[in-house]
Amino acid sequence: WRQSTALNHAILIETKAGGADAPAISDAAERSSFLLRRISSTRQTMLHFISNLQNYLMFEVLEGGWEALVHSVKRARTLDDIVRAHDFYLSEIVDKALLRNDDGGEDGGDDGGRSLENSLCKLLSIALAFGKFQDHIFTNSLAGLEKAAN
């Protein structure tokens, strides 16, 4: 957000100081500003999704399961009871995190049970790559504007 604001401000300043090429610069500045808003909006959408996913995993999956685990451990009479409670806790985490392989086979089969897990991994990888790409674009654009101003 800060980079986007700084870049939009720099574009506006360069547009006002455009001189003879002002119409061409103004058109390029308008297109650049539109592109920056789209990139920023896309990144905000990705951050919103990731934040909600993180909150769900933290508060719904881990915290709720932890309370049940602590309760089970307090009621346990043997080490086997504790191990069973822990195994159940881990199983619940996998289920609630939507990572359970439900195809019934040991080998994973045709990727049916892992499709959501794979989709989440791909989505998070794309979001990370997009964030790096946006940072690269903004850094180079600011450097280019500074160079043009001098």
Side-chain angles (χ1 to χ4, degrees):
W1 180 79
R2 288 183 194 130
Q3 285 180 329
S4 178
T5 302
L7 192 53
N8 273 323
H9 181 68
I11 289 171
L12 180 65
I13 290 172
E14 287 300 315
T15 302
K16 287 181 179 178
D21 291 336
I25 292 173
S26 179
D27 185 46
E30 187 177 317
R31 288 193 316 263
S32 296
S33 183
F34 174 76
L35 180 61
L36 291 173
R37 282 193 305 272
R38 293 281 310 260
I39 289 172
S40 185
S41 175
T42 301
R43 186 168 182 171
Q44 282 302 109
T45 301
M46 290 179 175
L47 286 171
H48 178 73
F49 171 78
I50 292 168
S51 177
N52 283 334
L53 178 63
Q54 180 183 13
N55 285 335
Y56 168 75
L57 293 173
M58 190 65 187
F59 297 110
E60 298 296 327
V61 175
L62 295 177
E63 192 172 299
W66 180 256
E67 291 172 6
L69 175 65
V70 169
H71 181 70
S72 294
V73 167
K74 286 180 181 178
R75 289 184 311 150
R77 295 177 186 237
T78 66
L79 181 58
D80 287 338
D81 292 340
I82 294 173
V83 169
R84 270 193 294 279
H86 185 258
D87 288 344
F88 182 75
Y89 170 67
L90 295 178
S91 178
E92 286 292 303
I93 288 174
V94 171
D95 285 343
K96 289 180 181 178
L98 308 174
L99 301 176
R100 174 74 63 205
N101 186 352
D102 289 331
D103 66 359
E106 290 291 321
D107 61 351
D110 63 354
D111 195 33
R114 296 228 180 249
S115 63
L116 183 59
E117 176 185 2
N118 291 338
S119 295
L120 283 173
C121 286
K122 286 177 186 175
L123 183 63
L124 294 173
S125 295
I126 289 168
L128 180 61
F130 185 83
K132 289 178 180 179
F133 174 71
Q134 181 195 22
D135 187 51
H136 177 74
I137 285 177
F138 283 20
T139 301
N140 287 343
S141 297
L142 284 172
L145 284 171
E146 288 177 12
K147 185 178 180 181
N150 294 327

